[in-house]
Amino acid sequence: MTLESLSGRYIGKSSSMISISRFLSFSLVFISLALLVQACSVRYSFTGTNINYDLTKTFSVENFFNDSGGGPANMGQLFTETLKEFYQRNTQLELVRSNGDLQFSGAISRYTISPQATVTSTDPNAPDRAGQMRLTIVVEVEYINMANEEENLKRSFSFFQDYDPRNTSILQVESVLIEEIFENIIQDIFTATVANW
């Protein structure tokens, strides 16, 4: 056997050992990364909630009454039904009449219409008028989480919408404004009670 053939064999063995060594190194790095990713993973749900459905399966909503002294007669009922529908649509919870794992109660405590911008009249005999009016609604909410009492809360949620009284009256836009305000308030309640953010 010549020296040349011996060196060729040695080089061949050496390159195959290097290939195996590289393969093992890459495998080790890949496995380490996989374990690291799994260890650092966060559990998210598609609805963006932090509800543990093993412990929390139901929710209940008491009737919200209108204690504000303003607004349409059915406003409390409208809020109650809209809140129920929102949680049914955005969670896997079952709505029950009372004593749910999550419980909501409260009242509409404020309904006010106030001027926001004044328009000066060109007629010296005519008074200045409001160019923008604001409808504000405040809802007091008590939230009880039977699985985790630390998440219980009792607080006010409010939102407003503006309209132009020169083009329309409150009677023409009231139902639309209330609907938009309720949507925003309920989204805020959802965020404060069961959402991840």
Side-chain angles (χ1 to χ4, degrees):
M1 186 176 285
T2 65
L3 183 60
E4 200 174 280
S5 65
L6 280 173
S7 67
R9 278 188 185 175
Y10 178 75
I11 291 168
K13 283 187 179 179
S14 175
S15 63
S16 68
M17 286 179 71
I18 290 171
S19 297
I20 291 171
S21 176
R22 281 187 182 164
F23 174 75
L24 290 174
S25 295
F26 285 129
S27 297
L28 187 60
V29 169
F30 179 76
I31 291 169
S32 298
L33 284 173
L35 290 173
L36 182 65
V37 167
Q38 186 177 6
C40 295
S41 68
V42 178
R43 191 174 132 197
Y44 290 105
S45 70
F46 290 111
T47 58
T49 64
N50 58 14
I51 299 170
N52 181 346
Y53 289 107
D54 295 330
L55 299 174
T56 307
K57 300 181 185 309
T58 62
F59 78 104
S60 58
V61 180
E62 289 184 22
N63 286 330
F64 279 71
F65 294 101
N66 181 5
D67 293 339
S68 70
N74 69 339
M75 194 165 63
Q77 187 63 33
L78 176 65
F79 182 83
T80 304
E81 294 307 316
T82 307
L83 182 66
K84 288 177 184 177
E85 289 169 13
F86 190 90
Y87 275 79
Q88 284 180 304
R89 196 170 59 245
N90 292 286
T91 70
Q92 299 170 27
L93 299 172
E94 179 189 349
L95 175 64
V96 294
R97 284 183 176 268
S98 60
N99 301 319
D101 297 324
L102 304 182
Q103 301 171 15
F104 296 88
S105 61
I108 298 167
S109 60
R110 199 170 110 211
Y111 175 98
T112 56
I113 299 171
S114 55
Q116 293 305 304
T118 306
V119 176
T120 306
S121 173
T122 54
D123 182 353
N125 297 323
D128 293 343
R129 295 183 354 162
Q132 208 59 326
M133 295 295 282
R134 175 168 293 174
L135 171 59
T136 304
I137 298 177
V138 179
V139 181
E140 303 286 338
V141 177
E142 183 172 3
Y143 166 74
I144 297 172
N145 184 331
M146 299 301 286
N148 186 357
E149 290 183 7
E150 291 178 4
E151 293 185 4
N152 293 356
L153 66 85
K154 187 174 186 177
R155 62 177 263 211
S156 300
F157 295 87
S158 67
F159 206 80
F160 65 84
Q161 288 288 354
D162 294 339
Y163 69 97
D164 189 341
R166 296 169 296 173
N167 302 330
T168 187
S169 72
I170 185 62
L171 295 176
Q172 293 171 306
V173 295
E174 185 178 45
S175 61
V176 174
L177 296 179
I178 289 172
E179 196 174 300
E180 291 172 357
I181 290 170
F182 282 174
E183 283 175 14
N184 284 280
I185 289 176
I186 289 169
Q187 181 62 62
D188 288 345
I189 294 169
F190 187 82
T191 300
T193 56
V194 299
N196 280 318
W197 53 89

